[in-house]
Amino acid sequence: MTTDLHDPSGLTALDGPISHTTVQGVPTLYTAGAGNEVSAGLFFRVGRADETLATAGITHLVEHLALHRLGLSDLHHNGTTANTYTLFHVTGSEAEVVAHLNSVCAGLRDLPMDRLETEKEILRTEAASRGGGPHSPLALWRYGAQGHGLSSYDELGTWGLTADQVRNWAETRFTRDNAVLWITGDHVPEGLDLGLPAGTRSPVPAATSALPVTPAYIHGDDGHVVLTSVLPRSAAAAVFAEVLGRALFHDLRQEGGYSYAAEADYSPRDAASATLTAHADALPHKQDAVVGGFVDTLARLRAGRIEQSELDSARGRLLKVYDTPDLGAAVLPSYALNLLLGHPLLSPEQHRAELDAVTVADLHEVARRTWDSALLQVPGRGVDWAGFTLAPQFSPAAVTGTRHPSLEDDRVALVIGAEGVTLETPKGPVTVRYDACAAMTVRPDGARALTGLDGFAVTVEPTLFAGVTAERVAALDAAVPAACVVPMPARAPEEIPRPRERTPEPAAGRSRAGGGTGGRGRTGGWGWAALVVLLAVLAVAWAALGVYLIVDRIDEGRVPPIGGTLGIIALELALLRWTGTANTRRKQARG
């Protein structure tokens, strides 16, 4: 069951702590707050998940443009563009809040398009300084380059969006039928002039999947272990996230001493589903221990080894929110968001009853679901031993077409066909089909970077592949849907890649979702092979010499010196260790 934005019968749970009305067609929730200041938030049901990769950033652009005319102000206000919503928030006197909301809505009705290119530049600067964080790759691996997966990508639309596209997005998504307003006050202030256009309510985009099987894992950066799972929204899931966070903190920090930060979080994704995220950090030399401890903790909970005391402690922390003074004002934003997303609204008493009803058996079921839908990001070696499957690193099939050998690596080739493009590598193909293309960036020098809806990417660099002529690039351009094309600025001559000198046995880099041309930046395997042979010969020779010297001493009736014997053994062990390390590097270099 979902809650209708304009159906009063669905708002009966709010009667008492929170009042509701409609202001110029916008559903409005309000309740008295503490102090003399008023806070307000205007939600719109549009966010990054509603965009495409080619238009990514369009919602963020509208948010920036709508706020531009406010200029510098001592008033506390901001705008937020999330996956499924956009929020304009303000705190101040009643008059200041009214003026701010009126200005935002006026800005949405008449965006200052003369600021478009400047705001695009600001968004690119913001993205460059923001950084992705350890969680950022997980969305694209789970969802692909669409919907909820777009939060892992740059805002490509900041390069090619037109004024008409941005204006149309504001007119169709930032409407009174797609909005909810909340205000901390015992009444709706006089003078509000929202005046938003009529429209339709936008449902949250259906979740996609780029994972053929779960639980799955991917390799990530050193220092972080991260897990995400998708669960049905429930009180039991919220309690379990608290239990998991406490268990990880106890096992990895307090008992093991492996991590400083170990935590878990529960966040609604849409009306019916939520995302559970767990994270633990690690020093490089303790990463394996953290991964093992992390998996062991989750496995314990999955097996049902959850104490009643763990449940009671986690539940008690969540119930504390209901002891907050001015509870209505504290929970007002979450009620407004649930109304916007269509999640059933429960009174505070109903929320408490749901938390009180959670049992250890309920947590066991949530733990099992968490494991079953898990995507785990680990540093270093994989976790196949724990029953996780490596997420697909290559496409299931290649296309046929003209084959263009790499000018750097004889084992790598680019195929440009009528249905798509494929990068052939020694380990497998990476394919982007034109009918499943999320975006293609276009450079004046002929470079093209295609990303598929499944997250796999192929970069076409004419300077790195034989026979990629202007005619072949033109055929590629003609095959890709125009809505997917993102024009990019010209590169400086030194930024255009050039083939590096061939080696007798060049090695290809690992192709992956989001990867590039492949085959660049690795040492050839022949050098490591020669080093392995040399070290092996030295190890054998030193072992033979050591045995000879010791036996010779014994034959002469003398006791071999302990120091000399230990020195021989130590050097022999070092030679064997160096030989093993060189052999491992040789295998890596061969791909």
Side-chain angles (χ1 to χ4, degrees), residues 112-452:
M113 286 304 175
D114 57 309
R115 290 280 304 176
L116 182 61
E117 295 307 317
T118 300
E119 293 299 337
K120 287 181 182 179
E121 187 72 23
I122 290 173
L123 291 189
R124 292 194 291 269
T125 303
E126 180 184 336
S129 62
R130 183 169 55 235
H135 303 181
S136 61
L138 288 156
L140 80 88
W141 284 93
R142 181 180 289 278
Y143 300 111
Q146 56 184 319
H148 298 275
L150 293 180
S151 60
S152 293
Y153 287 87
D154 292 336
E155 294 175 329
L156 278 182
T158 58
W159 293 103
L161 285 168
T162 66
D164 286 342
Q165 286 176 298
V166 176
R167 189 180 294 108
N168 179 260
W169 192 255
E171 291 172 351
T172 56
R173 303 297 179 127
F174 290 83
T175 68
R176 61 172 177 257
D177 297 293
N178 205 33
V180 171
L181 173 65
W182 59 266
I183 302 174
T184 60
D186 57 6
H187 65 282
V188 176
E190 297 288 337
L192 278 175
D193 181 19
L194 306 184
L196 294 168
T200 57
R201 183 183 182 185
S202 299
V204 176
T208 55
S209 178
L211 294 174
V213 63
T214 56
Y217 76 92
I218 60 173
H219 294 283
D221 294 336
D222 286 348
H224 300 280
V225 180
V226 189
L227 173 141
T228 63
S229 286
V230 177
L231 302 169
R233 288 182 63 171
S234 69
V239 174
F240 177 76
E242 185 71 20
V243 169
L244 176 59
R246 288 167 175 253
L248 289 172
F249 187 84
H250 175 271
D251 295 348
L252 299 181
R253 175 168 173 170
Q254 293 181 317
E255 291 294 319
Y258 306 134
S259 296
Y260 174 75
E263 57 200 357
D265 174 70
Y266 170 89
S267 176
R269 188 189 70 181
D270 48 44
S273 302
T275 301
L276 184 148
T277 303
H279 168 257
D281 57 9
L283 292 172
H285 64 285
K286 291 189 176 181
Q287 289 182 161
D288 288 346
V290 172
V291 171
F294 194 107
V295 172
D296 287 347
T297 298
L298 188 59
R300 170 177 73 83
L301 302 178
R302 177 199 181 204
R305 296 198 296 274
I306 304 172
E307 301 296 331
Q308 181 67 39
S309 59
E310 293 180 279
L311 165 57
D312 292 340
S313 178
R315 176 165 46 207
R317 186 177 184 279
L318 294 178
L319 284 171
K320 283 183 179 179
V321 69
Y322 297 102
D323 298 327
T324 303
D326 304 305
L327 174 62
V331 299
L332 191 58
S334 63
Y335 274 109
L337 183 57
N338 280 336
L339 179 59
L340 186 78
L341 297 180
H343 184 68
L345 301 181
L346 300 178
S347 68
E349 291 74 21
Q350 290 171 318
H351 273 294
R352 290 186 65 110
E354 282 198 343
L355 289 171
D356 286 334
V358 174
T359 66
V360 169
D362 294 331
L363 296 186
H364 180 200
E365 174 62 18
V366 176
R368 186 189 64 78
R369 286 175 175 265
T370 298
W371 182 282
D372 290 345
S373 72
L375 175 60
L376 184 63
Q377 177 180 295
V378 295
R381 56 198 180 101
V383 285
D384 307 81
W385 53 269
F388 289 75
T389 301
L390 181 64
Q393 307 293 297
F394 300 94
S395 302
V399 300
T400 58
T402 57
R403 193 171 185 274
H404 306 274
S406 168
L407 299 176
E408 298 179 318
D409 190 331
D410 291 336
R411 298 173 299 167
V412 175
L414 174 70
V415 177
I416 301 177
E419 298 177 335
V421 294
T422 291
L423 184 70
E424 297 177 345
T425 78
K427 291 186 177 181
V430 179
T431 297
V432 178
R433 295 180 56 89
Y434 304 136
D435 60 3
C437 182
M440 180 178 75
T441 61
V442 175
R443 297 279 187 182
D445 55 54
R448 304 289 185 264
L450 296 89
T451 302

Side-chain angles (χ1 to χ4, degrees), residues 452-471:
L453 293 174
D454 57 6
F456 285 106
V458 175
T459 300
V460 178
E461 290 282 4
T463 55
L464 299 183
F465 295 94
V468 181
T469 61
E471 289 73 22

Side-chain angles (χ1 to χ4, degrees), residues 30-42:
Y30 62 98
T31 188
N36 297 323
E37 288 194 318
V38 174
S39 290
L42 182 59

